[in-house]
Amino acid sequence: MSETTPALYERIYLVVKQIPAGAVSSYGDIAAIVGGGCDARTVGYAMAELGPRDDEVPWQRVVSRDGTISTRGLRQRELLEAEGVTFDSQGRAIMARHRWRGPDAAWCEANHFTPLPPRDEPEQLELF
DNA sequence: CAGATGACTCCCA
DNA sequence: CTGGGAGCCATCT
């Protein structure tokens, strides 16, 4: 942590905070929402700087695009399962079911963020 | 400014 | 499935 306060990280954290419990998002999606020269790797780096003990930002809800978890040693999967996120036998979160659609459009404009680009994916299955 | 690093992602064999 | 390589960007030396 330097004396500089990169607003970019604050923006990343702010977006991550919008992810509701039981939902997950990918590093790339977060980067797309934050915009302004931010990419998946930057988001991952921001999460690393945040620290696993931080209870302000639900960092555990940010996983890889395939639903895999890169974090080793951390109990990210346990935290997600406790929130209702389901995993398959390969240890991947079922993104088709838990993928976060992004923050509310009004919230995006109010905070000057970019809404997530439209996807051709079919509707998410309802939890049952 | 240049080089190294990193909780990413995509493509190809 | 595995592994290697490239592209991407912010931050630190």
Side-chain angles (χ1 to χ4, degrees), chain A residues 57-118:
Chain A
V57 180
W59 55 269
Q60 71 267 23
R61 293 174 194 149
V62 183
V63 299
S64 303
R65 213 151 176 51
D66 293 337
T68 55
I69 295 176
S70 303
T71 54
R72 297 160 297 188
L74 301 179
R75 301 175 187 173
Q76 184 168 2
R77 178 174 171 175
E78 289 181 24
L79 293 172
L80 291 176
E81 288 181 319
E83 293 181 347
V85 177
T86 50
F87 288 79
D88 60 15
S89 56
Q90 300 172 45
R92 306 180 307 175
I94 303 178
M95 297 301 277
R97 190 155 126 179
H98 300 285
R99 171 131 71 160
W100 184 45
R101 290 288 193 174
D104 185 75
W107 186 90
C108 280
E109 276 204 32
N111 295 279
H112 204 256
F113 278 115
T114 306
L116 217 48

